[in-house]
Amino acid sequence: MIKTSIIVPVYNTAEYLKDCFESIYNQTQKEIEVIAINDGSTDDSLNVLTEIQQKHPDLIVYSQNNTGLGSARNKGIELATGDFIYFLDSDDCLKDSAMAVCYQYCYDYQLDIAMFDAEIFGMIKSIRNPYDRTRIITDQNTVISGEHFANKYWWNTLCPSACLLYMSARFIRKNKLMFLPNIYYEDNDFYCKAIPLAKRIMYVPEFLYRRRYREGSITVSPFDLRCAKDRLKMIQAINKQRHSSGMQAIMKYLKINFLDSLLVECKKSNLSLELEFIQEIYETVRNICGNDIENIDTYHDIKIWNKMIDIEHNGIIPSETKDRIMKKSLEIIEKTFSHIPMHIAGKYIGIYGTGVYADQFIDMFRKNIGEIKAKIIFIDSHTKTEKQTYRNYDIINIDDIGNFPLNCIVIASAKYEQEMSKIMQERYGERFQIIKLITDLHF
């Protein structure tokens, strides 16, 4: 009986293969099938795989022309015979217990998907671990639906790595789940399709994966026109997905964020002169954010339109459309800030969170509305009251805000919005009006 099929796409990672496959064959679960897809490697990868195969004759090695990570994984799915399928990148490693832990949870709870986290290692230092969700996801070791998970957590954390999913082979085949071929970012489309379809998923708060940060990997490669085009294809593919009505809001939010990131990177990389490509982005923005400017009513949508104008300098967007966008932008910003009376003297506003979202929030108010006349305090969970300031405003510890007559508290964090909301609820119940920038105001 094969419990787990481990699929390893391989492309020019010869120097890392022995570490990767050693971590596979050191698994405490022994009922595994290992499938290596050599995706047209031009280095010594195939020879290293052959050497590993001599030591482990059960290793399946399949060679194909180079068609990308997604295509290689799709071939692995086709060849897999295990009850569960797992995708491992060939420059990364697994903890020894990873497959046994995931299988046991899936078997005991009849899961479609088990999710877990990763630690990072390697030549490139990282100041934070983007694969650590233990503080964000509160439903731990608990069976929930994929839609519930998406609607509760995707507003704050999206970690669309196939390597952090242990999946039922039956679930994959029943839903005909496949990866996009021939592009980067193939995980995003797969992840956004798979999770909402799952009836039973579980987040296991363990670091079962070891992600290597290295020069030349897709994760840390410079952004260029190829990356930009592939990211746009990924966005367009997600936009073609069909989801239930309960998923519409979060999927719109994700597509907007993907577009936002693409436009920011295009500006940084001076890709605005690529006219055909910019035209294609423009058409995608119209499709996702709404071509009828007058009916746009969220800051999120109009923000993308403004960024589209910012990178487009060749007359693709008609001047009258730009004028309508500018007018609509001010209207939406005024509407957004009408919930937060920072322009009224005598009001008391708390801002929970110090960082990029708080900065954007303050700067946008001053640019578009005017002088801040209300009394502002920043709220922090760790800083002692009035021992530090942020932007010349006092920082108050969360335990002490009960002493202040706050009209409302703005939660200014994307990643920790849910956690901050929970802390406020536990400490103060319904005492304060809480306004979440992301989920309430679509900031």
Side-chain angles (χ1 to χ4, degrees):
M1 171 190 173
I2 302 297
K3 292 181 177 178
T4 308
S5 293
I6 301 178
I7 297 168
V8 189
V10 177
Y11 179 71
N12 290 354
T13 50
E15 63 181 298
Y16 308 111
L17 290 179
K18 289 186 178 179
D19 285 348
C20 175
F21 281 86
E22 182 180 1
S23 79
I24 293 174
Y25 287 109
N26 282 342
Q27 289 298 298
T28 56
Q29 182 186 90
K30 299 305 178 185
E31 302 90 342
I32 60 175
E33 171 184 66
V34 188
I35 304 170
I37 308 296
N38 175 40
D39 189 41
S41 295
T42 57
D43 68 350
D44 204 36
S45 290
L46 184 55
N47 290 332
V48 176
L49 288 174
T50 301
E51 183 182 336
I52 295 170
Q53 194 177 42
Q54 290 172 353
K55 185 177 180 181
H56 301 281
D58 57 336
L59 171 62
I60 300 168
V61 178
Y62 181 91
S63 289
Q64 63 182 30
N65 293 329
N66 179 241
T67 49
L69 184 58
S71 178
R73 286 174 175 164
N74 290 340
K75 186 63 184 180
I77 293 172
E78 179 186 326
L79 297 174
T81 63
D83 290 340
F84 292 88
I85 289 176
Y86 177 69
F87 305 100
L88 172 62
D89 285 351
S90 59
D91 52 350
D92 296 333
C93 301
L94 289 170
K95 293 293 184 70
D96 291 353
S97 62
M99 298 296 95
V101 168
C102 290
Y103 178 84
Q104 200 60 53
Y105 275 111
C106 286
Y107 181 81
D108 289 347
Y109 294 97
Q110 298 297 294
L111 302 178
D112 297 316
I113 300 173
M115 301 177 291
F116 48 91
D117 286 339
E119 65 180 24
I120 56 178
F121 73 105
M123 298 176 290
I124 299 176
K125 299 293 184 181
S126 177
I127 60 173
R128 67 179 185 88
N129 181 358
Y131 308 104
D132 178 1
R133 297 170 288 176
T134 52
R135 286 179 55 195
I136 302 170
I137 300 175
T138 55
D139 293 287
Q140 302 185 359
N141 301 323
T142 303
V143 179
I144 57 176
S145 73
E147 284 204 8
H148 174 86
F149 179 84
N151 277 293
K152 187 170 182 180
Y153 298 110
W154 282 2
W155 298 97
N156 311 114
T157 179
L158 185 74
C159 202
S161 170
C163 300
L164 303 183
L165 304 176
Y166 183 87
M167 308 178 72
S168 158
R170 182 174 177 273
F171 169 75
I172 290 175
R173 295 193 171 103
K174 175 185 175 184
N175 291 289
K176 299 177 180 172
L177 294 172
M178 302 288 281
F179 290 88
L180 292 174
N182 299 311
I183 73 165
Y184 299 145
Y185 316 111
E186 76 293 328
D187 282 13
N188 297 52
D189 174 67
F190 182 87
Y191 184 85
C192 289
K193 282 188 295 190
I195 297 297
L197 289 170
K199 302 302 181 187
R200 298 177 65 81
I201 69 173
M202 180 182 287
Y203 168 69
V204 179
E206 296 187 35
F207 299 91
L208 301 177
Y209 193 73
R210 300 192 69 229
R211 169 76 75 189
R212 186 191 303 270
Y213 270 28
R214 63 179 178 86
E215 296 288 354
S217 71
I218 294 173
T219 308
V220 298
S221 294
F223 191 86
D224 56 15
L225 183 59
R226 161 74 193 277
C227 291
K229 287 182 174 181
D230 282 358
R231 193 175 293 189
L232 182 60
K233 288 177 184 176
M234 174 269 292
I235 295 168
Q236 292 168 338
I238 291 175
N239 195 42
K240 291 177 182 177
Q241 292 179 11
R242 294 294 173 260
H243 295 279
S244 71
S245 59
M247 286 292 298
Q248 298 305 312
I250 186 59
M251 292 309 300
K252 174 69 177 292
Y253 174 77
L254 292 186
K255 288 182 286 188
I256 291 288
N257 277 4
F258 286 138
L259 277 173
D260 192 346
S261 175
L262 173 60
L263 291 167
V264 168
E265 293 294 343
C266 285
K267 184 176 181 180
K268 285 182 185 176
S269 304
N270 296 316
L271 296 179
S272 59
L273 297 179
E274 301 290 339
L275 298 187
E276 288 187 13
F277 177 61
I278 297 301
Q279 176 73 47
E280 192 175 358
I281 295 179
Y282 173 58
E283 296 300 331
T284 304
V285 168
R286 290 175 64 188
N287 188 275
I288 292 174
C289 298
N291 190 38
D292 186 352
I293 305 300
E294 300 309 316
N295 287 329
I296 292 177
D297 63 356
T298 69
Y299 173 70
H300 242 145
D301 287 318
I302 208 67
K303 176 176 72 172
I304 298 302
W305 271 114
N306 279 317
K307 289 191 175 182
M308 186 71 235
I309 290 174
D310 196 33
I311 70 163
E312 191 281 300
H313 307 294
N314 299 284
I316 293 173
I317 305 176
S319 58
E320 60 270 22
T321 300
K322 292 182 180 180
D323 291 341
R324 288 165 58 208
I325 290 169
M326 296 302 293
K327 180 180 177 182
K328 192 66 176 182
S329 181
L330 182 57
E331 177 185 318
I332 289 177
I333 290 170
E334 289 176 345
K335 176 184 173 183
T336 298
F337 281 108
S338 68
H339 300 280
I340 306 164
M342 294 201 299
H343 60 295
I344 302 175
K347 298 292 184 179
Y348 230 110
I349 311 296
I351 300 176
Y352 192 177
T354 55
V356 61
Y357 275 89
D359 289 342
Q360 290 176 0
F361 173 68
I362 292 288
D363 292 342
M364 182 180 298
F365 184 91
R366 285 178 169 156
K367 178 181 178 181
N368 294 281
I369 307 300
E371 179 187 354
I372 295 176
K373 297 179 181 179
K375 172 70 175 177
I376 303 292
I377 64 168
F378 279 90
I379 301 167
D380 189 83
S381 300
H382 307 288
T383 303
K384 291 184 178 180
T385 294
E386 296 183 342
K387 293 296 183 181
Q388 295 183 38
T389 61
Y390 188 78
R391 297 185 62 129
N392 296 320
Y393 296 110
D394 288 334
I395 298 178
I396 307 299
N397 187 276
I398 191 170
D399 291 333
D400 298 326
I401 64 173
N403 299 322
F404 295 84
L406 296 172
N407 294 95
C408 67
I409 294 175
V410 178
I411 297 184
S413 171
K415 190 171 184 179
Y416 297 110
E417 187 182 76
Q418 294 289 347
E419 180 184 351
M420 290 175 169
S421 298
K422 183 181 178 183
I423 291 172
M424 288 299 306
Q425 182 68 32
E426 290 174 348
R427 302 281 180 91
Y428 297 103
E430 304 299 325
R431 179 172 177 179
F432 299 111
Q433 179 192 7
I434 305 298
I435 298 174
K436 294 175 282 189
L437 280 187
I438 304 301
T439 54
D440 292 340
L441 301 184
H442 303 291
F443 192 76

